[in-house]
Amino acid sequence: MNKNEYEKKAVNDVYKNAHIALFSISGLMPAVKDSGIKKELKSQYEGYEKFVGNVSSYMAENGIEPKEINPLQKAFMWSGIKMKTLTDKSRNRIAELMIKGTVTGITELTAMKNEKGNFSEETVAFIEDLLALEESYEKKLKKYL
């Protein structure tokens, strides 16, 4: 894979990371009964949505075709969310599920950040911005455990 393709893949990985978060929040919201965590999830959704808008604009300006989440992956995620909240819709359970997903995103972004010498300044900025966002969300979610 040449440097340009590697760069495009990195931007798409950041884009998909944020999209997975949006999809997960959308899947969880119908199960959320606690007003505090519901408000937090709405706030996080708005943050991810704003981020996706910024990265999408950058991709359009630079001719990078966004790669959406695989429909099979979406189906597995959706069914997993439904199964995990079938018998337990407590705020603790919702926070736990969100934290697990957020930590996965943080892990992926940290690995990408450690390769920052391979990416443009713009890509590094997107990685660092989403990483900071997810780390702040993880911290906020912990109070609901």
Side-chain angles (χ1 to χ4, degrees), residues 9-142:
K9 181 186 178 315
V11 172
N12 256 302
D13 287 348
V14 170
Y15 172 83
K16 283 199 296 188
N17 185 311
H19 254 276
I20 287 170
L22 287 171
F23 183 79
S24 298
I25 292 170
S26 293
L28 277 171
M29 285 303 276
V32 178
K33 304 298 181 217
D34 181 85
S35 62
I37 196 162
K38 184 172 245 176
K39 183 178 177 184
E40 179 59 38
L41 291 181
K42 283 180 182 179
S43 173
Q44 289 187 17
Y45 190 92
E46 290 168 4
Y48 284 120
E49 204 169 38
K50 182 178 178 185
F51 180 85
V52 166
N54 291 338
V55 100
S56 294
S57 294
Y58 173 81
M59 292 171 85
E61 291 167 7
N62 290 279
I64 301 172
E65 184 71 31
K67 304 233 184 323
E68 300 300 327
I69 305 168
N70 177 315
L72 188 59
Q73 184 182 9
K74 274 186 172 181
F76 280 125
M77 287 172 50
W78 184 85
S79 61
I81 289 168
K82 297 305 175 198
M83 291 298 294
K84 291 174 183 170
T85 58
L86 189 62
T87 58
D88 185 0
K89 295 176 174 81
S90 67
R91 77 183 208 164
N92 181 290
R93 181 65 171 158
I94 301 297
E96 178 186 339
L97 293 172
M98 282 300 300
I99 289 169
K100 284 181 181 179
T102 303
V103 168
T104 298
I106 290 169
T107 302
E108 291 170 3
L109 292 164
T110 301
M112 289 176 72
K113 184 179 174 186
N114 290 337
E115 297 180 42
K116 67 182 173 186
N118 297 319
F119 304 125
S120 68
E121 289 179 27
E122 292 88 352
T123 301
V124 171
F126 283 126
I127 293 167
E128 290 176 347
D129 289 350
L130 185 55
L131 181 58
L133 194 67
E134 292 205 334
E135 287 173 337
S136 74
Y137 290 164
E138 178 195 15
K139 186 176 181 179
K140 290 175 184 178
L141 287 163
K142 286 181 180 178

